[in-house]
Amino acid sequence: TICADGAAVAADVFQDLCSRLQIKDLDDATMNFPTERARLETSLRDVAKNESRRIHLLAGAVRDSDRAELILRKFEEARKMSDCDIMRYHLEALDKTNEAIFKRQEKRIENHEEAQRLQKDLGLLIQRAANLRVGPSKTRVVAEARAALKNHYKRLPDATDLAAILWGPPSSKKEDPPPPNNDNKKENQDPQLAAAVGATH
């Protein structure tokens, strides 16, 4: 049994033991890392939110681009008619649209950087879990985790499948043993001893 503050420390100890004992393949360990599971659930929820935000910002960028193209067409029509007032109006509208495009682009950059950070966090979780295996089992866990993560983007956030691959099913808390039955104990006592005990009370 390896008890550690986190999966990273446990993985280091596990790898060292397997190296010393020259174990080439091992994937039957029972693992319980509640903190890692909670972190995985949080990361997957954040990934889903980030992806939703990315789609929203992309749709807004397309609308801004279409609007800028429409303004430029109307500006060209006004230029051909030598209508300076209309030209000025469209130029001001184009300036506001360009400002909106730049602001939205900044948000897209921030969202992309956040996505990279989330991917890095998930990669670390997968790597730590893989280090709790040795040999082909380690490679298999990484491959299955990446496949489960790819499927995650196609449905609602659910960390159960990925967590089961990384650390196995969550361990259930063992129930405390029932208290001894004092009545039965009294029944099994020696009659003479029971009489002596009763006489003292």
Side-chain angles (χ1 to χ4, degrees):
T1 302
I2 299 175
C3 298
D5 293 336
V9 178
D12 290 340
V13 175
F14 178 79
Q15 289 293 324
D16 184 66
L17 286 175
C18 290
S19 177
R20 291 176 181 273
L21 298 175
Q22 297 183 349
I23 298 175
K24 302 300 181 182
D25 187 18
L26 181 60
D27 186 23
D28 59 355
T30 301
M31 291 167 261
N32 183 27
F33 297 104
T35 302
E36 299 287 314
R37 289 179 182 272
R39 182 177 177 184
L40 175 65
E41 294 176 359
T42 301
S43 295
L44 289 180
R45 283 196 297 268
D46 290 342
V47 166
K49 292 178 182 178
N50 180 272
E51 179 65 11
S52 176
R53 193 180 305 114
R54 184 191 69 82
I55 295 174
H56 175 74
L57 291 172
L58 179 60
V62 172
R63 290 194 300 270
D64 290 340
S65 179
D66 291 342
R67 177 174 173 78
E69 184 179 354
L70 178 62
I71 292 174
L72 286 173
R73 275 205 309 268
K74 291 184 176 181
F75 173 83
E76 184 61 20
E77 293 173 357
R79 188 188 66 81
K80 291 179 179 179
M81 298 174 59
S82 299
D83 192 332
C84 295
D85 291 337
I86 298 298
M87 290 172 59
R88 187 180 300 107
Y89 172 80
H90 289 310
L91 283 176
E92 292 176 355
L94 182 61
D95 184 61
K96 293 180 180 179
T97 302
N98 284 335
E99 183 179 354
I101 290 175
F102 286 128
K103 288 182 178 180
R104 197 181 301 275
Q105 183 62 22
E106 290 178 353
K107 292 181 180 179
R108 293 181 66 188
I109 292 174
E110 293 175 357
N111 192 69
H112 178 70
E113 291 175 348
E114 182 184 5
Q116 290 182 320
R117 179 185 61 79
L118 292 172
Q119 291 291 340
K120 183 178 180 180
D121 289 344
L122 287 173
L124 287 174
L125 286 173
I126 293 174
Q127 188 61 41
R128 289 173 182 173
N131 286 337
L132 293 166
R133 280 88 170 177
V134 176
S137 299
K138 180 177 180 179
T139 305
R140 177 185 56 78
V141 166
V142 173
E144 291 182 358
R146 288 178 177 175
L149 188 60
K150 186 180 297 183
N151 292 333
H152 165 74
Y153 294 109
K154 301 178 182 179
R155 55 185 172 82
L156 294 176
D158 184 10
T160 304
D161 296 339
L162 184 54
I165 293 172
L166 297 181
W167 305 293
S171 60
S172 58
K173 184 178 179 181
K174 295 182 179 180
E175 297 181 357
D176 296 331
N181 192 332
N182 294 327
D183 295 337
N184 293 337
K185 185 181 294 184
K186 289 181 179 179
E187 292 177 0
N188 295 331
Q189 286 180 348
D190 188 299
Q192 295 180 354
L193 178 61
V197 172
T200 60
H201 289 287

